[in-house]
Amino acid sequence: MSDRTGMRNHPKSRPGIADADQKMTQGIEQQMNQINVANELTTGLKDLDDLLGGGLQRGQLVLVDGPSGIGKTALGLGIATANAHKGVPAAFHSLDKQPEHLGARLLATVGGADLRRLRSGQLSDDDVTRCHFASDQLSHFPMWVPVRDHRTVAQIAKEAR
């Protein structure tokens, strides 16, 4: 099909069609980017997020395992806190730590207080102020630390879905 000028009468050569096609393509790309951003959860650590291709994905159950004292609890609480701070609901399940222990770690981490002094009850005035600030901040986070009740990982995964 050609007109008198010899130009092919192709839909993209007509005015407006190419613009509409480009806008549609941009719209699809924008929507895909929004879906990807909406599904990504931060670890709170930029380098780790980059290694994971942009962070964690919604719907994943992440089990962190390893020897005692390597930072599993700190990592998990950091991930939960970073996402709750952004308004993303987070639940932190620990199979071996009591909620009181986790609460103290959260207060110290978010408030910047000394965890050893917090645990011993020998807080400075500055630590008390920091803990009050952290407590107020955490009270607005959509974050839960369920009481340890000897559930299995499979049971926790089922409840999370």
Side-chain angles (χ1 to χ4, degrees):
M1 299 187 309
S2 58
D3 61 11
R4 283 189 274 165
T5 62
M7 234 177 122
R8 295 187 60 80
N9 199 5
H10 190 270
K12 288 198 178 207
S13 66
R14 290 183 287 189
I17 298 293
D19 292 335
D21 185 43
Q22 183 179 9
K23 285 180 183 177
M24 184 180 75
T25 302
Q26 287 171 345
I28 291 170
E29 288 173 1
Q30 182 180 11
Q31 202 170 25
M32 288 175 65
N33 288 335
Q34 286 174 347
I35 290 169
N36 288 336
V37 168
N39 286 329
E40 289 176 359
L41 303 171
T42 184
T43 63
L45 303 166
K46 184 187 178 328
D47 290 344
L48 182 55
D49 284 345
D50 291 344
L51 283 171
L52 295 171
L56 303 169
Q57 298 296 311
R58 288 186 191 270
Q60 287 181 319
L61 174 68
V62 179
L63 174 65
V64 179
D65 189 24
S68 180
I70 64 166
K72 299 178 302 292
T73 300
L75 175 66
L77 285 174
I79 291 170
T81 304
N83 287 290
H85 181 71
K86 291 175 17 180
V88 177
F92 180 87
H93 294 268
S94 176
L95 301 179
D96 66 342
K97 302 277 193 271
Q98 293 295 333
E100 300 80 28
H101 173 83
L102 298 171
R105 289 189 76 157
L106 278 169
L107 284 176
T109 301
V110 173
D114 186 292
L115 181 59
R116 284 185 216 128
R117 288 196 306 254
L118 181 60
R119 286 183 178 158
S120 70
Q122 299 177 345
L123 295 170
S124 67
D125 289 342
D126 187 48
D127 286 331
V128 171
T129 301
R130 289 172 181 274
C131 286
H132 281 297
F133 171 77
S135 179
D136 182 56
Q137 235 187 338
L138 288 166
S139 71
H140 300 294
F141 285 5
M143 184 172 164
W144 299 267
V145 180
V147 176
R148 190 177 91 191
D149 60 2
H150 306 291
R151 287 177 293 162
T152 66
V153 172
Q155 290 168 324
I156 293 169
K158 183 178 177 183
E159 289 175 17
R161 291 192 178 108

